[in-house]
Amino acid sequence: MLNKWFRLNENHTNVKTELLAGVTTFLTMVYIVVVNPAILSSAGVPFDQVFMATIIAAVVGTLIMAFAANYPIAIAPGMGLNAYFVTEVVQQDVSYSVILGAVFVSGILFVLLSLTSLRKTLITAIPPSLKYGITSGIGLFIAFLGLRMSGIIVPSEETLVTLGDLTAKGPLLTVFGLFFTLVLIARNVTGGLFIGMFVTGVIGLFTGQLQLEGFIDAPPAPVFWDMDLGAVFSNGLYTVIFAFLLVTIFDTTGTMIGVAEQAGFIRKDGSLPRARAALMADASATTVGAMFGTSPSSAYIESSSGVAAGGRTGLTTLVVALLFILSMFFAPVVGAVSGLPAITAPVLIIVGCFMMGGLAKVNWGSFDDAFPAFIIILSMPLTSSIATGISFGFITYPLLKLVTGKGKEVHWMLYMFAVIFILQMVFFPGH
């Protein structure tokens, strides 16, 4: 039956290989079950709500990927956008339920785009320098968040930020966790991020920084529709919606193409079979996740670890989904771990590094390509806003191309976005 459903023979794989690949992928991405509640709870979203929403979004998206697209690509709430979620709650001075509404609207738009050719047009219209700049800027953004959460970087009146007291318990444990995890990653240890969190947590337990009140318990009750859709529009959060939508599209598409190339799914003409079904998995996870209380979902590049272990079909992702369901019963452990920044901060810092890889593909020899990428990367962590970084990039890119006589190379959509972002910054600053 499994062979028929997932076409195992056709994809030159077997049940044992797919099961092993599923476990491998899960171990490399299970950190999100801890890190996501740790981040979003700082914006006021109840921990139990985020915990269940994270798992529900991951299970829904991954199951659709398994049965509709038959790809070994797992889905879960994305890193970077969860940090952006928190900063927007603070900067817009609104309740988390309003930003959840913005996530829901972006998810609905993503579903609609996935059913049309507009998604493909949008992806091809935006130049590589902006795409790589956005991903890299988010990487710096979440790495900076990890440094601040852990106390390695602290506020300073003179210099805005400065080095914290590394001899204090929290920063010291973070530094240990960071270097220990770096060794695991450098040596290509499967599940290195998860193992690093586990070992750091054990040390935190023995040093009295981690307080465990239990291991296994009944899953918390999920919270449904904790959103304020009306306030999204009354507060004019259109740029926030666009930022969620744009980054999710880029992140998912880039990840899918990368993993699909590794697995040998890309056709000779460069197309990806069943691409619509694969993108619907991500769009559906984002929409459902918002209904239950989490930030947008994305395809996970950690899926490449499962592909490296031999995973070639949706059976791999079915295993991932089942293991996520099993993780529901470990809420007491996850709750305690997510409350200790020293355990989760190293993950943010290292994942931030992973997201910087695209910088090598930016044409730094061409100033009109380089500066828009640079201003995005610079402004995202300094303004604590992904939307602001995107705005700067989309304004400067067509402007520089226009004044250098290359205006015809720019897609008309970029000129439209530039005008929209300029108007937004002039008349609706802070939104």
Side-chain angles (χ1 to χ4, degrees):
M1 184 181 291
L2 290 176
N3 183 37
K4 183 179 178 181
W5 276 354
F6 298 108
R7 302 196 294 275
L8 300 183
N9 291 339
E10 183 182 325
N11 286 283
H12 309 292
T13 184
N14 55 59
V15 173
K16 181 181 177 182
T17 300
E18 296 291 301
L19 292 177
L20 177 62
V23 172
T24 302
T25 297
F26 177 76
L27 286 176
T28 58
M29 63 181 290
V30 67
Y31 67 84
I32 195 63
V33 175
V34 178
V35 176
N36 205 43
I39 293 175
L40 294 191
S41 59
S42 66
V45 194
F47 168 83
D48 284 351
Q49 181 177 346
V50 186
F51 175 72
M52 288 301 292
T54 300
I55 294 173
I56 290 169
V59 170
V60 168
T62 304
L63 284 178
I64 293 174
M65 186 69 75
F67 290 104
N70 195 30
Y71 282 140
I73 304 172
I75 305 285
M79 291 294 293
L81 287 175
N82 46 15
Y84 174 57
F85 182 104
V86 174
T87 57
E88 286 306 305
V89 169
V90 175
Q91 291 192 357
Q92 306 294 341
D93 193 25
V94 295
S95 165
Y96 68 82
S97 59
V98 179
I99 306 300
L100 279 177
V103 175
F104 179 76
V105 174
S106 74
I108 294 295
L109 291 174
F110 195 6
V111 169
L112 295 176
L113 282 174
S114 298
L115 294 172
T116 69
S117 59
L118 278 175
R119 177 199 60 81
K120 184 178 180 181
T121 303
L122 183 61
I123 290 171
T124 54
I126 297 170
S129 60
L130 291 185
K131 294 176 185 175
Y132 297 134
I134 290 169
T135 304
S136 302
I138 294 172
L140 278 183
F141 179 41
I142 64 172
F144 184 51
L145 177 67
L147 291 170
R148 284 191 300 156
M149 279 174 50
S150 61
I152 292 177
I153 296 292
V154 295
S156 166
E157 290 186 7
E158 294 80 16
T159 58
L160 295 181
V161 292
T162 188
L163 187 65
D165 180 9
L166 298 186
T167 62
K169 276 188 174 183
L172 188 60
L173 182 58
T174 304
V175 171
F176 167 81
L178 176 61
F179 278 97
F180 181 78
T181 310
L182 285 173
V183 171
L184 297 177
I185 300 294
R187 295 189 62 81
N188 297 315
V189 175
T190 299
L193 288 173
F194 177 73
I195 295 170
M197 289 175 63
F198 177 80
V199 172
T200 307
V202 170
I203 294 174
L205 186 64
F206 282 108
T207 56
Q209 298 178 66
L210 179 64
Q211 306 293 329
L212 281 180
E213 296 181 359
F215 288 93
I216 300 177
D217 201 356
V223 178
F224 184 71
W225 205 264
D226 188 15
M227 296 184 293
D228 188 347
L229 286 177
V232 174
F233 302 102
S234 64
N235 283 279
L237 301 183
Y238 304 110
T239 310
V240 177
I241 294 171
F242 183 72
F244 279 135
L245 177 63
L246 200 63
V247 176
T248 307
I249 288 175
F250 290 162
D251 198 16
T252 295
T253 306
T255 298
M256 284 186 186
I257 290 172
V259 177
E261 282 180 348
Q262 180 190 2
F265 296 139
I266 301 292
R267 290 173 175 161
K268 290 182 179 179
D269 62 357
S271 64
L272 176 65
R274 306 183 299 282
R276 183 168 292 179
L279 283 161
M280 281 300 295
D282 184 72
S284 302
T286 293
T287 309
V288 171
M291 292 180 186
F292 286 93
T294 187
S295 47
S297 295
S298 175
Y300 261 60
I301 193 63
E302 284 84 353
S303 303
S304 60
S305 64
V307 171
R312 290 295 180 275
T313 73
L315 180 54
T316 292
T317 34
L318 174 60
V319 173
V320 175
L322 293 175
L323 289 173
F324 267 115
I325 293 173
L326 188 63
S327 69
M328 286 183 182
F329 296 91
F330 293 89
V333 176
V334 174
V337 167
S338 64
L340 181 58
I343 299 176
T344 52
V347 174
L348 295 177
I349 297 166
I350 293 171
V351 171
C353 173
F354 290 157
M355 297 177 74
M356 302 294 289
L359 287 183
K361 300 176 184 177
V362 175
N363 183 8
W364 295 105
S366 173
F367 185 74
D368 48 10
D369 278 314
F371 185 82
F374 165 76
I375 197 65
I376 292 172
I377 297 163
L378 180 69
S379 57
M380 278 189 186
L382 292 183
T383 63
S384 293
S385 173
I386 290 173
T388 299
I390 290 174
S391 299
F392 287 164
F394 273 68
I395 291 170
T396 55
Y397 185 85
L399 176 64
L400 291 176
K401 289 294 182 182
L402 203 58
V403 299
T404 53
K406 303 175 185 175
K408 291 183 179 180
E409 296 178 7
V410 181
H411 197 282
W412 65 265
M413 290 180 74
L414 262 70
Y415 289 114
M416 180 186 72
F417 286 136
V419 172
I420 291 171
F421 282 131
I422 290 171
L423 293 173
Q424 182 263 327
M425 286 187 159
V426 173
F427 295 105
F428 303 99
H431 291 295

